[in-house]
């Protein structure tokens, strides 16, 4: 299939094998972190942290930003000459981490006198290194391919949320009910009864590990297969990391616009990647484990759906970007309200409330995914430098959101959990 490339201002022939490989490469960027979040409705039922577990994992994920920081220092000294071996090392570490997670995710230990999911949190950090570093390492590596494959990579990132979510929906979350028990003294007490999911988190992570292996192989093919190497651009734009900004008024307006888009990206990821995942249990669990289960997994599925729409729409339209940001703002207000009103949010004991909370979470992440992809597409025209800044602002915003979420939940304890029994 032949398509128009904005980068080369010419018609290029789209290669199906490059689409397949870049898509699978994109899957490996965030599938590890996404798979963790899809298991939260199961993990919070048995983890010693309970409802607070998402906030701990969000912090572990954001500590993974040490990866981009180290890479930034490395890049400043050595440039991007060693990006290939670094990418291979990052992908390989992700493969090892997820297989270790499959066997030891439920191991706990005492930290400062309290029991915590120490192995789960530690491996969450090593798995997050892959996702966090991908924003500044994986995406810029695509600068040597025509820009049409950037969207394919982003679709792969979306699939990294869809696949584990689809499997988690089949897996189920089990059911929790309360039953009355009469004690020896005649006193009636409530006891929580939980049925198991179709299969545990261990086999789930094994399957994710197999997908991660396929992603690693895809990157190796992109870098070493002769058919793939022939499709690379001979002189990629901005390969030295420098951005040329003209002195004319039009160039200055373009520069200011790019800064505003980076600011929008920072705000979107502050909520989507940082704060909201930390408080999702408090926003959804008052409506039941099934509400939390579907809100978590359908939100991940909304990501590739948004990327699919980006194929057939004007994904660089600033008007659409700001309109969808408005939808995200309204959705965020409702989600924050339900979290801070926990354990008694609006419509808690009604079907309407369950449907609404799931819909709002899915709506937010669908719109946020489209906005992030659109901003990446605009900045792609600035070459390697634009995508590098995009990755940096993504990690900064995500980290700030996670830190604030942890502070609100575990330090000042503004959000309250609820026990059904």
């Amino acid at each position: 299939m032949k398509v128009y490339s904005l980068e080369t201002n010419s018609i290029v022939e789209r290669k199906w094998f490059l689409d397949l490989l870049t898509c699978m490469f994109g899957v490996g960027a965030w599938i590890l972190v996404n798979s963790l979040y899809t298991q939260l409705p199961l993990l919070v039922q048995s983890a010693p942290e309970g409802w607070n577990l998402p906030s701990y994992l969000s912090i572990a994920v954001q500590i993974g930003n040490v990866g981009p920081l180290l890479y930034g220092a490395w890049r400043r000294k050595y440039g991007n000459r060693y990006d290939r071996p670094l990418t291979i090392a990052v992908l390989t570490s992700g493969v090892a981490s997820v297989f270790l997670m499959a066997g030891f995710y439920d191991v706990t230990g005492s930290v400062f006198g309290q029991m915590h999911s120490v192995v789960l949190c530690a491996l969450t950090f090593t798995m997050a290194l892959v996702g966090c570093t991908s924003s500044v390492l994986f995406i810029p590596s695509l600068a040597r391919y025509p820009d049409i494959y950037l969207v394919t990579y982003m679709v792969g990132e979306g699939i990294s949320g869809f696949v584990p979510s689809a499997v988690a929906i089949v897996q189920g979350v089990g059911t929790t009910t309360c039953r009355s028990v009469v004690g020896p003294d005649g006193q009636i007490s409530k006891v929580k009864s939980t049925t198991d999911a179709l299969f545990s988190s261990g086999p789930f992570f094994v399957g994710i590990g197999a997908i991660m292996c396929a992603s690693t192989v895809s990157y190796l093919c992109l870098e070493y297969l002769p058919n793939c190497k022939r499709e690379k651009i001979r002189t990629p734009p901005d390969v030295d990391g420098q951005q040329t900004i003209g002195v004319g008024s039009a160039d200055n307006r373009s520069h200011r616009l790019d800064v505003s888009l980076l600011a929008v990206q920072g705000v979107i990821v502050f909520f989507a990647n940082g704060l909201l995942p930390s408080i999702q249990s408090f926003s959804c669990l008052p409506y039941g484990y099934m509400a939390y289960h579907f809100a978590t997994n359908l939100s991940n599925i909304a990501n590739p759906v948004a990327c699919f729409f980006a194929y057939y729409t004007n994904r660089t339209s600033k008007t659409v970007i700001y309109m969808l940001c408005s939808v995200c703002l309204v959705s965020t207000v409702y989600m924050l309200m339900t979290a801070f009103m926990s354990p008694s949010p609006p419509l808690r004991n009604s079907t309407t409330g369950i449907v609404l909370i799931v819909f709002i979470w899915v709506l937010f992440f669908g719109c946020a995914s489209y906005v992030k992809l659109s901003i990446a597409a605009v900045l792609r025209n600035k070459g390697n430098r634009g995508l590098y800044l995009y990755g940096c602002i993504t990690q900064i915003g995500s980290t700030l959101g996670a830190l604030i979420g942890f502070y609100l939940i575990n330090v000042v304890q503004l959000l309250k959990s609820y026990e059904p029994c």
Side-chain angles (χ1 to χ4, degrees), residues 11 35 103 152 211 217 242 249 273 282 356 384 415-416:
I11 301 295
S35 65
T152 306
I211 297 174
V217 171
Q242 300 300 317
S249 59
N273 297 357
F282 294 91
L356 183 59
N384 189 283
L415 280 70
K416 306 298 181 184

Side-chain angles (χ1 to χ4, degrees), residues 243-282:
Q243 182 176 3
T244 303
I245 300 296
V247 296
S249 59
D251 290 328
N252 288 332
R253 284 196 300 270
S254 176
H255 180 54
R256 287 197 299 270
L257 183 60
D258 289 343
V259 171
S260 69
L261 288 179
L262 285 172
V264 169
Q265 173 72 4
V267 173
I268 287 291
V269 298
F270 172 87
F271 289 105
N273 297 357
L275 180 60
L276 292 180
S278 299
I279 68 168
Q280 189 173 21
S281 57
F282 294 91

Side-chain angles (χ1 to χ4, degrees), residues 149-169:
Y149 296 108
L150 173 64
V151 176
T152 306
Y153 174 90
M154 299 296 283
V155 169
E157 282 198 352
I159 293 175
S160 74
F162 174 84
V163 171
S165 294
V167 175
I169 288 175

